[in-house]
Structures are given as C-alpha cells and as structure tokens.
Amino acid sequence: MKRNDPISHLMSRQVITAHHGDAISKVRALFRTNGMHHIPVVNGEQLVGIITWSDILRVSFGDAFQTDERTVDATLDHTLTLEQVMRKNPVTLAETGTVREAAELLAGGTFHALPIVSGSKLVGIVTTTDLIKYLLDQF
C-alpha cells in the first residue's frame, strides 16, 4: 500500500447532493431512494454543509412510531429547514489530498463521510466504507 496514494483513487465523483433550500421531504426521499447515509449540501457548486441519515432520524420522531411517510414529510417540511438540520462547515479534504490524510480525518472525527473539494467546489466524497474497501483491496 502506498502511503501517498491520491484521494482520487477511492473517492466517489458521482455525488448525490441536496441543494440549499431543499425541503426535508426531498432529502428524505434521496436517502430512501439511493440507500446512502451522507448527502453533501450545495449552493450551486459550493459545498455549504452535509446531512446524514442520523440527522434526519434525530428530528423525525414519526419514523420511530411508523407514522405514514407523507405525514412525517409534511410535519418536517412545516417545522424545519434543511439548513437547521444539516451540519454547516463540514470537515473536508482537498482533491490534492491523500488516502492517508482522509484516513486520519475520518479516524479522528465523529463523522463517517468526507467531502472532497477543489476550493469550495464539491468534487467528490469518501466514506469510511470506501476507505475500508480500499484497504481490503490492498491485502
């Protein structure tokens, strides 16, 4: 395994994003449809935050009581905005970064996804799962 492998070797470039101002119901649909756990939030091409499935579960008590999806969506859309639920200013890694730097950030944080940026433009994402798969390929 090379210590300085570029992050581009394992980052996903086809990133599903939420957009600044999207309704929570739209974000919930993205999670359900795509089976993912982390969605970067952008304003144009600029990264402005990240939202996780755990963030959604934290605010959607209806999910705990198996309430109708439309009721949960309507309640969330009328009480919260994406900006209130997402995490602003997430930890990021420059696209010139290395796999080792990504591993250090993910190991040291309380998060499991690392947006990859060029300046403030989102260009990819790496998750702890991506990193584990990359390490498995090395052995």
Side-chain angles (χ1 to χ4, degrees):
M1 174 171 42
K2 298 178 188 172
R3 301 189 96 178
N4 293 317
D5 273 354
I7 196 61
S8 60
H9 283 182
L10 71 134
M11 73 181 200
S12 300
R13 292 184 185 275
Q14 301 298 319
V15 183
I16 298 192
T17 59
H19 299 274
H20 175 74
D22 279 351
I24 299 290
S25 58
K26 182 175 181 181
V27 177
R28 287 182 78 234
L30 286 172
F31 280 117
R32 287 192 308 269
T33 302
N34 297 290
M36 54 190 24
H37 297 105
H38 315 89
I39 299 178
V41 180
V42 294
N43 187 1
E45 293 182 338
Q46 180 179 0
L47 179 71
V48 295
I50 192 164
I51 188 162
T52 68
W53 181 241
S54 295
D55 296 329
I56 295 291
L57 290 176
R58 180 175 43 86
V59 298
S60 61
F61 298 109
D63 286 341
F65 301 108
Q66 298 185 4
T67 303
D68 176 76
E69 291 290 325
R70 291 176 296 172
T71 303
V72 173
D73 284 340
T75 301
L76 289 173
D77 286 348
H78 285 89
T79 57
L80 295 167
T81 66
L82 174 58
E83 290 70 24
Q84 290 172 313
V85 181
M86 74 180 195
R87 296 168 192 211
K88 297 171 183 74
N89 304 313
V91 174
T92 63
L93 181 64
E95 69 180 330
T96 57
T98 65
V99 172
R100 179 179 177 86
E101 289 171 310
E104 288 171 348
L105 289 168
L106 288 167
T110 58
F111 49 89
H112 301 282
L114 187 60
I116 308 301
V117 294
S118 174
S120 62
K121 178 183 176 185
L122 178 70
V123 295
I125 193 167
V126 171
T127 67
T128 52
T129 301
D130 296 329
L131 184 59
I132 291 168
K133 288 178 181 178
Y134 173 82
L135 291 172
L136 285 172
D137 287 343
Q138 305 301 310
F139 295 100

